[in-house]
PDB file of all heavy atoms in Angstrom:
ATOM      1  N   ASP A 305     114.401  61.750  88.133  1.00 31.00           N
ATOM      2  CA  ASP A 305     115.249  62.964  87.939  1.00 31.00           C
ATOM      3  C   ASP A 305     116.645  62.598  87.580  1.00 31.00           C
ATOM      4  O   ASP A 305     117.462  63.412  87.304  1.00 31.00           O
ATOM      5  CB  ASP A 305     115.207  63.858  89.155  1.00 31.00           C
ATOM      6  CG  ASP A 305     115.946  63.226  90.382  1.00 31.00           C
ATOM      7  OD1 ASP A 305     116.399  62.064  90.209  1.00 31.00           O
ATOM      8  OD2 ASP A 305     116.033  63.885  91.422  1.00 31.00           O
ATOM      9  N   GLU A 306     116.912  61.269  87.511  1.00 31.00           N
ATOM     10  CA  GLU A 306     118.210  60.875  86.973  1.00 31.00           C
ATOM     11  C   GLU A 306     117.975  59.669  86.058  1.00 31.00           C
ATOM     12  O   GLU A 306     118.051  58.534  86.482  1.00 31.00           O
ATOM     13  CB  GLU A 306     119.178  60.425  88.115  1.00 31.00           C
ATOM     14  CG  GLU A 306     120.564  60.099  87.571  1.00 31.00           C
ATOM     15  CD  GLU A 306     121.536  59.817  88.729  1.00 31.00           C
ATOM     16  OE1 GLU A 306     121.143  59.998  89.830  1.00 31.00           O
ATOM     17  OE2 GLU A 306     122.673  59.486  88.399  1.00 31.00           O
ATOM     18  N   PRO A 307     117.644  59.877  84.819  1.00 28.00           N
ATOM     19  CA  PRO A 307     117.259  58.799  83.913  1.00 28.00           C
ATOM     20  C   PRO A 307     118.400  57.801  83.740  1.00 28.00           C
ATOM     21  O   PRO A 307     119.533  58.133  83.953  1.00 28.00           O
ATOM     22  CB  PRO A 307     117.005  59.596  82.623  1.00 28.00           C
ATOM     23  CG  PRO A 307     116.624  60.945  82.990  1.00 28.00           C
ATOM     24  CD  PRO A 307     117.490  61.215  84.215  1.00 28.00           C
ATOM     25  N   ARG A 308     118.032  56.624  83.253  1.00 25.00           N
ATOM     26  CA  ARG A 308     119.023  55.625  83.085  1.00 25.00           C
ATOM     27  C   ARG A 308     120.058  55.904  82.077  1.00 25.00           C
ATOM     28  O   ARG A 308     119.783  56.769  81.179  1.00 25.00           O
ATOM     29  CB  ARG A 308     118.254  54.331  82.681  1.00 25.00           C
ATOM     30  CG  ARG A 308     117.440  53.650  83.754  1.00 25.00           C
ATOM     31  CD  ARG A 308     116.490  52.654  83.195  1.00 25.00           C
ATOM     32  NE  ARG A 308     115.426  53.265  82.357  1.00 25.00           N
ATOM     33  CZ  ARG A 308     114.512  52.611  81.725  1.00 25.00           C
ATOM     34  NH1 ARG A 308     114.435  51.319  81.798  1.00 25.00           N
ATOM     35  NH2 ARG A 308     113.597  53.284  80.988  1.00 25.00           N
ATOM     36  N   GLY A 309     121.240  55.366  82.227  1.00 27.00           N
ATOM     37  CA  GLY A 309     122.292  55.652  81.258  1.00 27.00           C
ATOM     38  C   GLY A 309     123.527  55.933  81.991  1.00 27.00           C
ATOM     39  O   GLY A 309     123.606  56.237  83.189  1.00 27.00           O
ATOM     40  N   THR A 310     124.646  55.783  81.381  1.00 25.00           N
ATOM     41  CA  THR A 310     126.001  56.029  81.964  1.00 25.00           C
ATOM     42  C   THR A 310     126.706  57.007  81.065  1.00 25.00           C
ATOM     43  O   THR A 310     126.430  57.130  79.869  1.00 25.00           O
ATOM     44  CB  THR A 310     126.740  54.772  82.184  1.00 25.00           C
ATOM     45  OG1 THR A 310     126.955  54.187  80.911  1.00 25.00           O
ATOM     46  CG2 THR A 310     126.076  53.779  83.064  1.00 25.00           C
ATOM     47  N   GLY A 311     127.703  57.700  81.623  1.00 29.00           N
ATOM     48  CA  GLY A 311     128.453  58.561  80.763  1.00 29.00           C
ATOM     49  C   GLY A 311     129.203  59.585  81.694  1.00 29.00           C
ATOM     50  O   GLY A 311     128.986  59.571  82.910  1.00 29.00           O
ATOM     51  N   PRO A 312     129.995  60.430  81.144  1.00 32.00           N
ATOM     52  CA  PRO A 312     130.769  61.378  81.956  1.00 32.00           C
ATOM     53  C   PRO A 312     129.872  62.473  82.489  1.00 32.00           C
ATOM     54  O   PRO A 312     128.855  62.878  81.946  1.00 32.00           O
ATOM     55  CB  PRO A 312     131.678  62.037  80.912  1.00 32.00           C
ATOM     56  CG  PRO A 312     130.969  61.885  79.619  1.00 32.00           C
ATOM     57  CD  PRO A 312     130.223  60.592  79.698  1.00 32.00           C
ATOM     58  N   ARG A 313     130.252  62.967  83.727  1.00 37.00           N
ATOM     59  CA  ARG A 313     129.573  64.065  84.327  1.00 37.00           C
ATOM     60  C   ARG A 313     130.031  65.340  83.606  1.00 37.00           C
ATOM     61  O   ARG A 313     131.143  65.420  83.082  1.00 37.00           O
ATOM     62  CB  ARG A 313     129.853  64.142  85.830  1.00 37.00           C
ATOM     63  CG  ARG A 313     129.225  63.025  86.624  1.00 37.00           C
ATOM     64  CD  ARG A 313     129.438  63.200  88.085  1.00 37.00           C
ATOM     65  NE  ARG A 313     128.787  62.182  88.873  1.00 37.00           N
ATOM     66  CZ  ARG A 313     127.515  62.293  89.263  1.00 37.00           C
ATOM     67  NH1 ARG A 313     126.773  63.340  88.993  1.00 37.00           N
ATOM     68  NH2 ARG A 313     126.997  61.308  89.961  1.00 37.00           N
ATOM     69  N   SER A 314     129.220  66.380  83.731  1.00 46.00           N
ATOM     70  CA  SER A 314     129.620  67.714  83.153  1.00 46.00           C
ATOM     71  C   SER A 314     130.391  68.493  84.132  1.00 46.00           C
ATOM     72  O   SER A 314     130.439  69.747  84.046  1.00 46.00           O
ATOM     73  CB  SER A 314     128.427  68.395  82.632  1.00 46.00           C
ATOM     74  OG  SER A 314     127.517  68.661  83.654  1.00 46.00           O
ATOM     75  N   GLU A 315     130.946  67.917  85.234  1.00 51.00           N
ATOM     76  CA  GLU A 315     131.701  68.605  86.170  1.00 51.00           C
ATOM     77  C   GLU A 315     133.028  69.098  85.635  1.00 51.00           C
ATOM     78  O   GLU A 315     133.546  70.099  85.999  1.00 51.00           O
ATOM     79  CB  GLU A 315     131.965  67.739  87.417  1.00 51.00           C
ATOM     80  CG  GLU A 315     130.830  67.794  88.462  1.00 51.00           C
ATOM     81  CD  GLU A 315     130.660  69.251  88.932  1.00 51.00           C
ATOM     82  OE1 GLU A 315     131.485  69.746  89.690  1.00 51.00           O
ATOM     83  OE2 GLU A 315     129.668  69.874  88.524  1.00 51.00           O
ATOM     84  N   SER A 316     133.596  68.345  84.740  1.00 53.00           N
ATOM     85  CA  SER A 316     134.777  68.717  84.075  1.00 53.00           C
ATOM     86  C   SER A 316     134.584  68.576  82.601  1.00 53.00           C
ATOM     87  O   SER A 316     133.626  67.958  82.195  1.00 53.00           O
ATOM     88  CB  SER A 316     135.964  67.877  84.577  1.00 53.00           C
ATOM     89  OG  SER A 316     135.678  66.484  84.354  1.00 53.00           O
ATOM     90  N   VAL A 317     135.512  69.100  81.788  1.00 56.00           N
ATOM     91  CA  VAL A 317     135.344  68.957  80.317  1.00 56.00           C
ATOM     92  C   VAL A 317     135.301  67.411  79.968  1.00 56.00           C
ATOM     93  O   VAL A 317     136.186  66.660  80.209  1.00 56.00           O
ATOM     94  CB  VAL A 317     136.480  69.572  79.572  1.00 56.00           C
ATOM     95  CG1 VAL A 317     136.333  69.444  78.150  1.00 56.00           C
ATOM     96  CG2 VAL A 317     136.533  71.060  79.918  1.00 56.00           C
TER      97      VAL A 317
END
Side-chain angles (χ1 to χ4, degrees):
D305 67 359
E306 186 174 358
R308 289 166 291 181
T310 59
R313 292 185 176 272
S314 60
E315 272 301 288
S316 57
V317 178

